[in-house]
């Protein structure tokens, strides 16, 4: 039986922001139901102990996020949540002391990616306040992400915006250095106990209308991860936000059968040969990060 380091379980396809770096899904707007979530966790239980509650959508929008975390704990899962952080005030009481919640990832680049963003200081300090409280009261890990670097060197405007964000973090944690001195793209720096900052280049979501490359390279899809969309469709990784590589639906076929099916195995063995067998994979630049 295949096991994975993590399985993405998308709990909503809806987001409260419209960020430039994240194309909106063309799928129907959905929130996973409690019985569906229970069913999916039972399906993936033999395959992983770690779940990530997103592919597309903003997880903190889910009105029953607290119940989903309780169910995850009851079934022995550790949960990671990636969020834009704008709904913390409303959702804080639902997530703060949940034992299932292993890590919160905050996409700080959402502020500049969303045209309607205002008051950077208030946005970041609210997240940092939550981070401090979370690590003080629980074993939670917090990752602050600035994934907005330009491959062709950031423009002065981008550097200025990031400097403003980093300066807020430096002051909040009383750092005696500038974060840029200790960090490079794709790496992180510890700013406090169990609180980390990670910077990386902005990645482009793969899409069938993009140009295809030679298909060479490696990916961890179906090797260390798989994903399940809100509608039950299983996809190889967290970047197939539209369900293009539809491996099957957990409401019709068991997860175990799907990830060991012909199409899934073709993808797995293809990447063992450093070859992308799916069209979408040949149009995904993220694959090149792994050689």
């Amino acid at each position: 039986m295949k096991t994975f380091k993590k399985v993405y379980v998308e709990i909503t396809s809806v987001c409260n922001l419209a960020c430039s770096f994240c194309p909106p899904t063309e799928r129907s707007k959905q929130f996973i139901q409690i019985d569906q979530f229970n069913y999916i966790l039972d399906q993936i239980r033999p395959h992983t102990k770690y779940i990530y509650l997103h592919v597309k959508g903003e997880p903190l929008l889910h009105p029953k996020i607290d119940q989903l975390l309780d169910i995850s704990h009851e079934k022995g899962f550790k949960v990671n949540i990636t969020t834009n952080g704008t709904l913390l005030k409303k959702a804080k009481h639902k997530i703060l002391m949940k034992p299932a919640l292993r890590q919160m990832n905050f996409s700080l680049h959402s502020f500049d990616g969303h045209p309607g963003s205002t008051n950077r200081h208030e946005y970041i300090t609210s997240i940092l306040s939550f981070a401090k409280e979370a690590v003080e009261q629980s074993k939670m890990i917090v990752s602050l992400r600035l994934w907005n670097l330009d491959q062709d060197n950031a423009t002065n405007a981008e550097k200025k915006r990031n400097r403003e964000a980093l300066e807020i973090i430096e002051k909040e944690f009383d750092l005696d250095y500038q974060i840029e001195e200790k960090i490079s793209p794709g790496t992180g720096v510890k700013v406090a106990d169990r609180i980390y900052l990670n910077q990386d280049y902005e990645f482009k979501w793969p899409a069938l209308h993009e140009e295809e490359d030679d298909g060479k390279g490696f990916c961890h899809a179906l090797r260390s991860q798989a994903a399940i969309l809100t509608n039950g469709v299983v996809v190889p990784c967290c970047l197939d936000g539209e369900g293009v590589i539809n491996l099957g639906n957990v409401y019709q076929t068991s997860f175990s059968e799907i990830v060991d099916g012909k199409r899934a195995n073709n993808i797995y063995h293809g990447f063992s040969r450093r070859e992308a067998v799916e069209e979408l994979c040949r149009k995904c630049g993220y694959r090149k990060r792994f050689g």
Side-chain angles (χ1 to χ4, degrees):
M1 180 173 288
K2 289 180 180 175
T3 57
F4 304 101
K5 289 183 179 178
K6 55 194 172 187
V7 172
Y8 292 83
V9 181
E10 183 187 71
I11 60 173
T12 180
S13 58
V14 182
C15 190
N16 62 316
L17 300 185
C19 296
S20 57
F21 56 81
C22 185
T25 178
E26 295 177 7
R27 293 184 283 122
S28 61
K29 292 178 169 59
Q30 284 181 288
F31 288 85
I32 201 167
Q33 301 300 308
I34 295 295
D35 59 338
Q36 294 175 320
F37 190 71
N38 261 305
Y39 177 79
I40 286 174
L41 292 201
D42 287 340
Q43 290 272 308
I44 66 175
R45 209 170 183 175
H47 298 272
T48 192
K49 292 298 178 190
Y50 296 91
I51 54 177
Y52 288 56
L53 300 186
H54 73 282
V55 174
K56 284 295 187 77
E58 168 51 53
L60 298 190
L61 265 179
H62 200 293
K64 297 181 179 177
I65 183 72
D66 50 346
Q67 293 182 48
L68 301 184
L69 289 170
D70 287 340
I71 292 167
S72 301
H73 180 62
E74 289 165 11
K75 295 182 184 294
F77 289 97
K78 290 296 181 183
V79 177
N80 283 31
I81 289 178
T82 297
T83 171
N84 57 46
T86 57
L87 302 175
L88 267 182
K89 288 181 181 178
K90 292 181 179 179
K92 177 183 169 182
H93 69 286
K94 294 183 178 183
I95 63 177
L96 186 57
M97 297 303 293
K98 295 299 184 183
L101 191 48
R102 172 186 172 270
Q103 181 168 325
M104 290 280 290
N105 305 314
F106 291 97
S107 300
L108 301 184
H109 44 282
S110 299
F111 184 86
D112 289 313
H114 181 67
S117 296
T118 57
N119 200 332
R120 184 192 309 276
H121 188 271
E122 181 182 348
Y123 167 70
I124 294 178
T125 53
S126 68
I127 290 173
L128 300 185
S129 175
F130 172 89
K132 290 177 180 179
E133 189 174 351
V135 299
E136 186 178 310
Q137 297 187 20
S138 71
K139 296 180 179 179
M140 192 190 301
I141 299 166
V142 175
S143 174
L144 309 169
R145 295 176 171 179
L146 272 174
W147 289 4
N148 60 355
L149 299 180
D150 189 333
Q151 292 278 6
D152 301 318
N153 296 320
T155 63
N156 288 331
E158 287 168 332
K159 287 180 179 177
K160 183 175 182 293
R161 287 197 297 264
N162 278 357
R163 175 90 295 270
E164 290 172 3
L166 295 175
E167 191 171 308
I168 295 168
I169 295 168
E170 289 160 3
K171 286 181 178 178
E172 282 289 321
F173 291 104
D174 198 25
L175 302 182
D176 60 0
Y177 58 86
Q178 285 199 338
I179 289 170
E180 293 97 329
E181 298 169 4
K182 305 227 174 182
I183 201 170
S184 58
T187 66
V189 62
K190 183 177 180 179
V191 296
D193 182 37
R194 282 180 283 123
I195 302 177
Y196 302 86
L197 176 83
N198 181 273
Q199 275 201 287
D200 210 338
Y201 296 111
E202 180 181 323
F203 70 84
K204 193 172 186 180
W205 286 81
L208 291 178
H209 64 260
E210 298 292 342
E211 190 175 340
E212 191 171 309
D213 63 21
D214 61 8
K216 301 299 180 185
F218 178 78
C219 182
H220 292 281
L222 295 171
R223 195 171 302 265
S224 65
Q225 66 166 283
I228 304 173
L229 304 180
T230 317
N231 57 13
V233 169
V234 178
V235 291
C237 75
C238 62
L239 292 184
D240 187 0
E242 293 305 303
V244 172
I245 307 175
N246 184 339
L247 300 175
N249 194 301
V250 289
Y251 300 128
Q252 299 162 3
T253 309
S254 75
F255 182 79
S256 298
E257 287 182 68
I258 291 171
V259 296
D260 203 28
K262 183 178 179 181
R263 191 174 186 183
N265 281 325
N266 283 342
I267 294 169
Y268 180 96
H269 294 307
F271 282 126
S272 295
R273 303 188 303 268
R274 301 297 191 269
E275 177 187 336
V277 300
E278 291 280 348
E279 180 184 358
L280 186 70
C281 299
R282 294 193 295 271
K283 296 178 175 182
C284 178
Y286 207 78
R287 184 184 78 250
K288 296 177 181 178
R289 298 187 180 201
F290 307 112

